[in-house]
């Protein structure tokens, strides 16, 4: 569902009714006469819809985390806010940039439209910038020949590990039902953040689809090496062995950027989650 388009249509309809009432109908009805139903239930909502549309289009937009690909940084069920203007001002609905402000930086957590299906919003971490050579070999991240530092940081207890309703059937490796995963602190540019790495999961990329400029990537049993095209970004989830990301489906065009995630504003299961994150 394209909520931005629906909101835009409601804005046009309510705005047209408001203009009709303000410039035409109001002058024709007598003083003190009650407004017709189409004013009460249509035009009166125009200011509210206008404020919501502007805030959501140009300032901040709320999202809910649907999967565990960004564990341990973001949990399933986190409600987050996304800064819509930090990477430039874009026209609503068509997402065309009209004012350039900042460029994405390595380490940013970014929401974007999934290249293969722009109706879907994805959230991952920016790993590779335009022109970068990104290598993820033997579960080590190397950018332009420099290995990104990692250090152990104990174990991460999966929130669903003790919930029987979320357990698998015991056949094969179900990453969503692991109890603990090794956690590491990775430094990516100026940003230090947590990642999860499963030592018993093979290093090769198990799921790869056809995508534009796939020839920029080389796949081996050790992992993947890609050169990021101009105007594109290489995205990865912090749950490195539980994320379907640029390693499998390719690069994110600048035109698909939605904004920078910066704040957890609610989580029904854990109010302590409220706050900023890296």
């Amino acid at each position: 569902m394209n909520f931005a388009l629906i909101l835009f249509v409601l804005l046009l309809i309510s705005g047209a009714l408001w203009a009709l009432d303000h410039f035409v109908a109001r002058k024709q009805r007598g003083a003190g006469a009650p407004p017709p139903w189409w004013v009460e239930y249509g035009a009166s909502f125009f200011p509210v819809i206008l404020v919501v549309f502007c805030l959501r289009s140009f300032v901040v937009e709320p999202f809910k985390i649907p999967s565990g690909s960004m564990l341990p940084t973001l949990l399933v069920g986190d409600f987050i806010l996304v800064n819509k203007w930090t990477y430039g001002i874009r026209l609503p609905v068509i997402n065309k940039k009209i004012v350039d402000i900042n460029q994405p930086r390595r380490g940013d957590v970014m929401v974007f439209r999934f290249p293969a299906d722009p109706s879907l919003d994805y959230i991952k971490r920016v790993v590779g910038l335009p022109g970068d050579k990104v290598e993820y070999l033997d579960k080590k991240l190397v950018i332009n020949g420099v290995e990104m530092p990692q250090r152990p940081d104990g174990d991460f207890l999966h929130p669903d590990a003790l919930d029987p309703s979320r357990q698998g059937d015991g056949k094969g490796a179900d990453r969503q039902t692991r109890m603990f995963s090794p956690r590491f602190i990775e430094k990516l540019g100026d940003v230090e953040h947590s990642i999860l790495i499963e030592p018993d999961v093979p290093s090769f990329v198990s799921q790869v689809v056809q995508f534009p400029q796939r020839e920029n990537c080389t796949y081996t049993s050790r992992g993947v090496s890609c050169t990021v095209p101009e105007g594109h970004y290489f995205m990865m989830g912090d749950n490195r062995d539980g994320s379907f990301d640029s390693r499998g489906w390719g690069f994110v065009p600048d035109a698909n950027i939605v904004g920078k995630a910066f704040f957890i504003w609610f989580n029904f299961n854990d109010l302590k989650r409220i706050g900023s994150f890296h």
Side-chain angles (χ1 to χ4, degrees):
M1 179 184 296
N2 192 331
F3 185 74
L5 179 59
I6 294 174
L7 194 62
F8 181 65
V9 172
L10 291 176
L11 179 67
L12 292 179
I13 295 173
S14 62
L17 293 176
W18 177 87
L20 179 63
D21 175 61
H22 186 78
F23 296 107
V24 180
R26 186 177 300 180
K27 299 177 181 178
Q28 295 178 353
R29 61 178 179 261
W37 66 268
W38 58 268
V39 173
E40 184 175 356
Y41 294 103
S44 61
F45 285 102
F46 172 65
V48 176
I49 296 176
L50 178 62
V51 170
V52 172
F53 180 79
C54 290
L55 286 175
R56 188 182 184 277
S57 300
F58 303 111
V59 185
V60 293
E61 183 175 355
F63 286 88
K64 182 182 179 182
I65 301 301
S67 73
S69 70
M70 283 296 292
L71 290 172
T73 306
L74 296 171
L75 306 185
V76 176
D78 279 346
F79 289 85
I80 64 169
L81 293 179
V82 173
N83 185 322
K84 296 297 291 289
W85 52 265
T86 189
Y87 297 141
I89 298 176
R90 298 171 185 265
L91 291 176
V93 182
I94 63 175
N95 207 43
K96 180 177 177 57
K97 185 187 291 187
I98 56 175
V99 178
D100 198 6
I101 299 178
N102 299 307
Q103 300 300 318
R105 301 173 61 188
R106 293 190 196 94
D108 287 355
V109 177
M110 190 168 79
V111 173
F112 54 93
R113 292 187 171 94
F114 184 40
D117 183 358
S119 67
L120 300 177
D121 291 317
Y122 272 31
I123 182 168
K124 307 289 181 186
R125 192 176 295 275
V126 179
V127 170
L129 305 178
D132 281 350
K133 182 177 181 180
V134 178
E135 300 172 279
Y136 191 69
L137 304 174
D138 301 324
K139 306 197 178 183
K140 297 288 186 179
L141 179 61
V142 178
I143 300 178
N144 298 326
V146 179
E147 183 175 313
M148 300 297 101
Q150 289 180 5
R151 67 177 187 272
D153 188 40
D155 290 324
F156 173 75
L157 174 63
H158 286 263
D160 298 329
L162 303 180
D163 183 354
S165 67
R166 303 293 295 273
Q167 298 299 304
D169 59 8
K171 298 177 182 179
D174 186 347
R175 295 174 196 159
Q176 295 300 320
T177 60
R178 292 179 183 274
M179 184 162 293
F180 292 98
S181 290
R183 180 171 53 199
F184 296 82
I185 300 295
E186 180 180 77
K187 187 172 184 181
L188 186 57
D190 297 327
V191 177
E192 284 195 340
H193 63 101
S194 297
I195 61 174
L196 301 182
I197 295 177
E198 305 293 350
D200 57 338
V201 175
S203 297
F204 66 86
V205 182
S206 59
Q207 186 178 3
V208 181
V209 301
Q210 290 295 330
F211 56 84
Q213 304 187 71
R214 190 179 184 277
E215 64 275 9
N216 283 31
C217 296
T218 301
Y219 294 89
T220 69
S221 60
R222 298 177 59 203
V224 62
S225 174
C226 294
T227 299
V228 185
E230 288 301 319
H232 292 71
Y233 298 89
F234 193 92
M235 313 296 297
M236 291 179 65
D238 290 346
N239 186 3
R240 292 290 166 80
D241 294 302
S243 172
F244 184 45
D245 49 38
S246 285
R247 291 171 289 178
W249 46 251
F251 311 103
V252 175
D254 182 82
N256 287 48
I257 292 176
V258 173
K260 179 181 179 180
F262 71 98
F263 192 81
I264 300 171
W265 63 271
F266 198 72
N267 187 305
F268 283 105
N269 298 320
D270 186 359
L271 296 181
K272 295 179 181 179
R273 295 282 301 161
I274 298 174
S276 59
F277 59 88
H278 295 294

